[in-house]
Amino acid sequence: MSKVVTMGEILLRLSTKDYRKFIQADEYEACFGGSEANVAVSLAMLGMESVYVTKVPDNPIGRCAISFLKKLNVDTSNVSYGGNRLGIYYMEKGSAVRPSNVVYDRAGSSISTAQPADFDFDRIFEGADWFHFSGITPALSEQAGDVTLEAVKAAKRNGLTVSCDLNYRNKLWTANEARQVMPQYMEYVDVLMGGREDARKMLGFTLSKENEDDTPNLEAYEKMFQEMVEQYHFKYVISSLRQSHTSSYHDFSGCIYDGKNFYAAKKYEISPMVDRVGGGDAFAAGIIFAILSGKETKDVIEFSVAASALKHTIPGDANLSTVEEIEHLMKGNGMGRVQR
Amino acid sequence: MSKVVTMGEILLRLSTKDYRKFIQADEYEACFGGSEANVAVSLAMLGMESVYVTKVPDNPIGRCAISFLKKLNVDTSNVSYGGNRLGIYYMEKGSAVRPSNVVYDRAGSSISTAQPADFDFDRIFEGADWFHFSGITPALSEQAGDVTLEAVKAAKRNGLTVSCDLNYRNKLWTANEARQVMPQYMEYVDVLMGGREDARKMLGFTLSKENEDDTPNLEAYEKMFQEMVEQYHFKYVISSLRQSHTSSYHDFSGCIYDGKNFYAAKKYEISPMVDRVGGGDAFAAGIIFAILSGKETKDVIEFSVAASALKHTIPGDANLSTVEEIEHLMKGNGMGRVQR
Amino acid sequence: MSKVVTMGEILLRLSTKDYRKFIQADEYEACFGGSEANVAVSLAMLGMESVYVTKVPDNPIGRCAISFLKKLNVDTSNVSYGGNRLGIYYMEKGSAVRPSNVVYDRAGSSISTAQPADFDFDRIFEGADWFHFSGITPALSEQAGDVTLEAVKAAKRNGLTVSCDLNYRNKLWTANEARQVMPQYMEYVDVLMGGREDARKMLGFTLSKENEDDTPNLEAYEKMFQEMVEQYHFKYVISSLRQSHTSSYHDFSGCIYDGKNFYAAKKYEISPMVDRVGGGDAFAAGIIFAILSGKETKDVIEFSVAASALKHTIPGDANLSTVEEIEHLMKGNGMGRVQR
Amino acid sequence: MSKVVTMGEILLRLSTKDYRKFIQADEYEACFGGSEANVAVSLAMLGMESVYVTKVPDNPIGRCAISFLKKLNVDTSNVSYGGNRLGIYYMEKGSAVRPSNVVYDRAGSSISTAQPADFDFDRIFEGADWFHFSGITPALSEQAGDVTLEAVKAAKRNGLTVSCDLNYRNKLWTANEARQVMPQYMEYVDVLMGGREDARKMLGFTLSKENEDDTPNLEAYEKMFQEMVEQYHFKYVISSLRQSHTSSYHDFSGCIYDGKNFYAAKKYEISPMVDRVGGGDAFAAGIIFAILSGKETKDVIEFSVAASALKHTIPGDANLSTVEEIEHLMKGNGMGRVQR
Amino acid sequence: MSKVVTMGEILLRLSTKDYRKFIQADEYEACFGGSEANVAVSLAMLGMESVYVTKVPDNPIGRCAISFLKKLNVDTSNVSYGGNRLGIYYMEKGSAVRPSNVVYDRAGSSISTAQPADFDFDRIFEGADWFHFSGITPALSEQAGDVTLEAVKAAKRNGLTVSCDLNYRNKLWTANEARQVMPQYMEYVDVLMGGREDARKMLGFTLSKENEDDTPNLEAYEKMFQEMVEQYHFKYVISSLRQSHTSSYHDFSGCIYDGKNFYAAKKYEISPMVDRVGGGDAFAAGIIFAILSGKETKDVIEFSVAASALKHTIPGDANLSTVEEIEHLMKGNGMGRVQR
Amino acid sequence: MSKVVTMGEILLRLSTKDYRKFIQADEYEACFGGSEANVAVSLAMLGMESVYVTKVPDNPIGRCAISFLKKLNVDTSNVSYGGNRLGIYYMEKGSAVRPSNVVYDRAGSSISTAQPADFDFDRIFEGADWFHFSGITPALSEQAGDVTLEAVKAAKRNGLTVSCDLNYRNKLWTANEARQVMPQYMEYVDVLMGGREDARKMLGFTLSKENEDDTPNLEAYEKMFQEMVEQYHFKYVISSLRQSHTSSYHDFSGCIYDGKNFYAAKKYEISPMVDRVGGGDAFAAGIIFAILSGKETKDVIEFSVAASALKHTIPGDANLSTVEEIEHLMKGNGMGRVQR
């Protein structure tokens, strides 16, 4: 069993029920999420030894976040306690022609005010195989960016594979700001994940051509991936390929380049969308799992796309699917039939 | 900021949850609605000064209805208190091949027993720009029809633009009854809204031709609108164009005639339907807002169709969308993407 | 009014809410279901005199199941009380690419340990016209199979029409086991219902040809039905025809053979699926009702397919649709429109 | 098994949740109640053959009320269908120093507009032992009073015991109005139930003396009961004895006079109050059951007081307690212990 | 109708349901509260013209808080929009021997970063009679303290009566910090409210003697109030008198000194406690209303104690009781009886 | 940090909401409980290393039970997976004069069919300090009794302290059956817990005298404890002392004898009762924690009584209180005050 370490911010998510707008809410569904925490949960569900590193306030709300992770088998023994608050995001789920809406209230969170001294990375990475982070953490604060850099360096020093999901968030920083920060991490990254927007805004790569019908131009993706590998020596570059027809109906797929070969996966139609948040994190976890399991490049992308497709049918941030369920979907067996 | 006055019946809506049939319900979701109240809320959400006139019982249930309107910024200072009860409608939301079902329990409501003396229309219309009513109020009772006539006359006397949404309700009266009552209001109406069924049953206008595939025959609409303008000198005639494929999937658009030009708007696919009730009222509010904002005829219909499309994704009777959200949809930006 | 007797197991169904996976549930929606109980409820909703025979524990949970049936007008005066427990099934409803998942906990239930002496079938069948059972009961236990055989024999002895819905359940027994048990009942059966899988696994009949696009090959169905009638002298053989595109989107139809003519009904698109469980039972009840009402063969299948289509839009196991609602759908009137 | 007929109005009760005031409610718990319906349910729970007579609208809401009764084993085969609406009452449950608040919306209900011709009382009373009505029905409308008189006369004509629960409702009529109507029924009544307020306002009897500490003056009760028997020849006069310390804490007992002996029962402390509504109806049902079961006068009052005490712990209008549960309480066994 | 201005922080309150501890919560009830906002709502419910001044973020969560106030008739036209976030408090309601627990997450809220320039106090106070603030606002931040000082000065300048509720919060500041800040406001205060703890920690006054049994020593209160009046020339000094036997059972009363006379009010037993938060704010609102209504000193304290007692029975922060309900309680009428 | 091992059955608890009777339930709150699992959770909350041993089915329901324990920090690495089902208990919570009612459906559960070979006790007990079991496990089945005996022997062999909570359950076995099984375990037990009923029914010890007012006769307890120590050489004998005034109001205390001294603890009044189930398990966990923490005998009983008192205020089976919260209660600080 491989051991994967992820690090980032875990937030309390407060969602209105039944497609209510915020102004209609007098209760909120509460769960916990955050890009890297979602990856950690996914990996634990897939049977990996999954270690999540973060900092949460030493109060009941912070401890609830950790209990959530424990329930789902994530190793939280390296979590740092302190700081002032757990970040929040409010969510109003869209439907049909109405987009989902997210209100962040994460400024001043414990992880955004964390410092390198809060974590002993060499100890954390003992016996670990992989370290995963995302571009959200450096966007939180300069300090959080420093912690990330320490982590990445320690991961390489300890011989781990390092993956990064770019995850551009325009409510946290501008493309300009992101482009001044993100490239410094790239020399340590082995596996890069991110959509075309992320690649353009955060690293300055662009697709040479786009299809008019909103379908992905795979040749352009392959070309861009080659440029990215050339510049940063990534072992894998991977992008999800999502077409958002409406809030309730997406097509989801992905493509991968391993330095030699480029593959695009089968496309899944997601309709209706149960919960779109965390689709990318389920995808990232699928990639990490598949590579660590020794799958071939083509199978890596097929597995991770199927994993992400399933996530879109599960409420909450995290993919709770098992390897068996993902492989069941990949085989196309019994689609839509009750298992009884 | 323009000031719009609407008048009509506000009801307590009791809906079963989760597509339950009535016989499965042991709780009801409660909200307030009614065609003109929905228009009033929509207009307030769009930033207009929105005044709603009605009569409710002076008991906690009546006062709750008014508090609902206040919360959403509707001016309720001209509401009359008295009478015996607030009308109710029970609702069982349909899905796929099952239609929604509504049970009215509105007989004897305070507004249906109101009298002209309950309202001082000249004072109410001071400083107002527009008066909107619907064909539902005259259907409630003869008295309510008298109040409506008083209101319409006072509105014209005070120089307001008058709009009417025909809104035929076959559980309230027959086409025959409607046709004996509604024409008398038409001479006061500047902006007429209503579907082909309404026009036929309440005013006796018919489409000269219908398409076999249930799509609207726009030429026939234009012709019918011309006839209507000829007879009643409306400034605008407007109809929504709805194709109900199933309870969960509608196409929605609309068309408009301003005495010179006829336009049909972009069509939106609504799937899944979150709440179909109030779609026409959101449309009416969009029209009023757009005309008062000085938009060109084509933009009037595009705006109001987009406004109504959004309503179908929001639970409850009323459209809670803002101008910004409607324009976002009209631009086709970010359809289906989380705003984060 | 005809009188129909059904017999089988009624279970407590515990479903997670809002598409939650089991691990996310801290409450369950509770209702009661079971193939034959669902048929009994459907028949009562259709206005038949519906008698349901089962055995439940003499405890509050068992009595709740019976109260549920009484509420819906099912005659429960022949229910036997005793044994240890009411069977349970846990349900996690799927969506889009995720299948529904059912966990059975029905071993040791009162009905599975019932004995022929628990029921006085000759008295039960007095004045009755029809007896319906399914292949689930013999799958529960040998004893339950014995009770079923007693019932079937008594039904024939008393001149009732006997129908059987094959209903293969692979979590209860293997095809091999089923094939050793089910044929013995066939000599008593007048009306046989079952899909192609059921026919193959339980009776050994196979379609001679299948279409590649997952649509039903109607000629092959007709041929198989002819073979079945030849061997067992059924008066009717009927199969539903379901294409499960995703968990949320099915096509549903059915076909029938009456010894002379073969008909396939209109196909309904079910999207979104509200609750797939019990669709077959609604279909069976439709057949029984339609035959007992003296409908022609073609109308039998049209009615029962429409009945089942409606069931898929209703939460819970049972079809709560009335004859009026089913006929409304068959006429294609007002699809998707609010009834107001 | 004795057969008891009750007649009256069944209403939809809409209650706010969790002690919310009406203005805080966006959902309502829905159940059905009404004094005589509650008695009918109680009697069915106690194992009697319980027949309930009313008139409800022939719409889904009316039919839901009847399904509720069927579920609980009440014979509804004599219900009349028609009229316009089912009455409603809204309820806001009090706590501690805050009283519960009820808003009636029952004007124009089907039963209040019923006529004697809606019911064939001689057929209804065939084989019946007892008829129970309350003073609420005559308060609804003159017509409802006429129906009541017809019923009472037919009951006597058919040899039934007749009981009346006075049940004064000051939101329905004044004491003056009540006193002009109620005495006419008294000559037919064998068993009279009612509190001191009811006796005073509806029949003009008063307690000669009241204790200062709000405890009942039993001597005065006995004296008043003697006067009542003298005037109207009742076989039993019974009153509950309730001290409402707060909304959450009542003492409950009762007293009875059988023409010879007067008894007061054990007093139960009810704290906390789960649901106060229907306490008197549970008491009435207990009396009817106990007398029909041949209990001695002292046991009649002890049984009915215990029955009512239990009702106060059960949400909804109706007492769902069994004879076994009531007798368990009377014996004082295991009070407050989990039964496991 | 008098006009009262209040100013302070409004927070989103997130409460667990059904006495769950935080770790058991997967949903939160959401309402809005905050000491001065609660006073503002109470006053509006009592029929006063109630103006609330605060600063909230210009996002959906901030706007929801304002909608909540509008619904309850509070004038929010002077609210300032801006800053980063709406403060939150998480609440876990206690029961019996378990205390309630509150987790604040209010650092960095819009109001705590507000500046005097955000408000034009002279305009705000035009036509107003009274200004009320609490010791919570200065505890939020130095800036908030400055805004408060500006407000208080402007209020005096404009001839308003000024009241202050001391409201010591030990999670916001220490007694030492409070004592350096609060006295500066006292010269502007006419009506001072606060418990003995508040008086000691924030102003340095102490009771000369305390009863051993936790009942209040009224003589000591009178003496302390005299000292307070002597030093600060308050017109009224008022304290609530609360004995917290358990989380579910409090005794509540209050006492007042008007420079001449000292009165203690009737004591109410609150059991069970529905919601303890906001009890003090209901009390404060009662005082303001009663003084503005010209009540005599004794009646001021009786009214405000009854108002507060009722608040404890209502979920949420705010007292939703009307004058009629409060006076009903004061008269001791119908305590615990259903109003029907 | 000490390490404690507990072993027993964990069940799914399905509770009706809001004091509903079973017949009123259409949803159930789901949590997990069972005497020893509750002890395990309590100990983990108190900061102990808590290991729970059981057998659950290898299906989603079984895995949910384990996730619940993981969330609360219980070490589940020694759980055995297999068997057929997870036991269930249905619960209807009582109030005031109505007792709670439990329906067990636990026959055939995985743990009741477990065998000694399912567990490697010598490995399980490595490094452990304490083993706790209850009299429920031997009551489940003979096999479960055998497993228990193996466990107890292994525990002694490995030098652990062994505690037993007698926990007589009359729905599982008779006193006669219990008395033939339980004594064999006693020679291995160091710490015995159990009420007077348990001692009498399972071991044959009786109190020599009982007080008439239902208060405990402490002298009789001391005497009985001395006899028990004499016979079985227990190091501690402990009993809770509970007076159940009503379902909603209990007095709770306890007493202890350590071979030399006898102490009775402070008594807590529990009103209202939030959840009575698990009170004894919280008490047991308190004892184990306190002894392992080296507390003196008097402090052991004070701590464990306070722990149990808090449990009664928390919904669900398990005590979620921390050491800090328990000590806060013991000190009598701030009883009933909001912590803010």
Side-chain angles (χ1 to χ4, degrees), chain A residues 12 14 17 22-23 25-31 59-61 63-64 67 84-86 88 90 101 103-105 107, chain E residues 12 14 17 22-23 25-31 59-61 63-64 67 84-86 88 90 101 103-105 107:
Chain A
L12 172 62
L14 296 169
K17 289 188 165 182
F22 287 124
I23 206 168
D26 66 358
E27 58 184 351
Y28 285 103
E29 295 187 327
C31 67
N59 70 17
I61 309 306
R63 286 190 292 271
C64 284
S67 295
N84 293 319
R85 62 184 301 255
L86 194 77
I88 290 173
Y90 299 92
N101 192 11
V103 175
Y104 283 130
D105 177 16
Chain E
L12 172 63
L14 297 168
K17 290 188 166 181
F22 288 124
I23 205 170
D26 67 358
E27 54 184 355
Y28 286 102
E29 294 186 326
C31 66
N59 70 16
I61 309 307
R63 284 189 294 269
C64 284
S67 295
N84 293 317
R85 61 184 301 256
L86 195 78
I88 291 173
Y90 299 93
N101 192 10
V103 175
Y104 284 129
D105 178 14

Side-chain angles (χ1 to χ4, degrees), chain D residues 86-143:
Chain D
L86 195 77
I88 291 173
Y89 79 97
Y90 299 93
M91 176 159 171
E92 185 185 272
K93 198 166 61 161
S95 175
V97 297
R98 178 158 65 94
S100 291
N101 192 11
V102 161
V103 175
Y104 283 130
D105 177 15
R106 61 204 294 183
S109 70
S110 294
I111 184 65
S112 75
T113 58
Q115 303 199 327
D118 286 322
F119 309 98
D120 177 352
F121 286 114
D122 287 314
R123 196 176 51 70
I124 291 170
F125 289 133
E126 256 180 46
D129 301 285
W130 192 294
F131 175 64
H132 175 78
F133 72 106
S134 91
I136 295 172
T137 311
L140 296 178
S141 68
E142 209 181 305
Q143 277 169 284

Side-chain angles (χ1 to χ4, degrees), chain C residues 17 26-28 30 85 105, chain F residues 17 26-28 30 85 105:
Chain C
K17 290 188 165 181
D26 66 359
E27 57 184 354
Y28 285 103
R85 63 184 300 256
D105 178 14
Chain F
K17 289 189 166 180
D26 67 358
E27 56 185 354
Y28 285 103
R85 61 183 301 255
D105 178 14

Side-chain angles (χ1 to χ4, degrees), chain D residues 20-77:
Chain D
R20 292 194 178 197
K21 298 206 76 179
F22 288 124
I23 205 169
Q24 299 175 295
D26 65 359
E27 56 185 352
Y28 286 102
E29 294 187 326
C31 66
F32 294 94
S35 180
E36 307 82 358
N38 301 341
V39 172
V41 169
S42 257
L43 288 167
M45 290 297 301
L46 297 173
M48 305 251 112
E49 197 178 337
S50 176
V51 179
Y52 180 64
V53 178
T54 192
K55 186 170 185 180
V56 298
D58 189 16
N59 69 17
I61 309 307
R63 286 190 293 270
C64 285
I66 301 312
S67 295
F68 162 79
L69 294 169
K70 281 184 180 165
K71 176 180 175 182
L72 296 168
N73 241 7
V74 175
D75 178 339
T76 59
S77 54

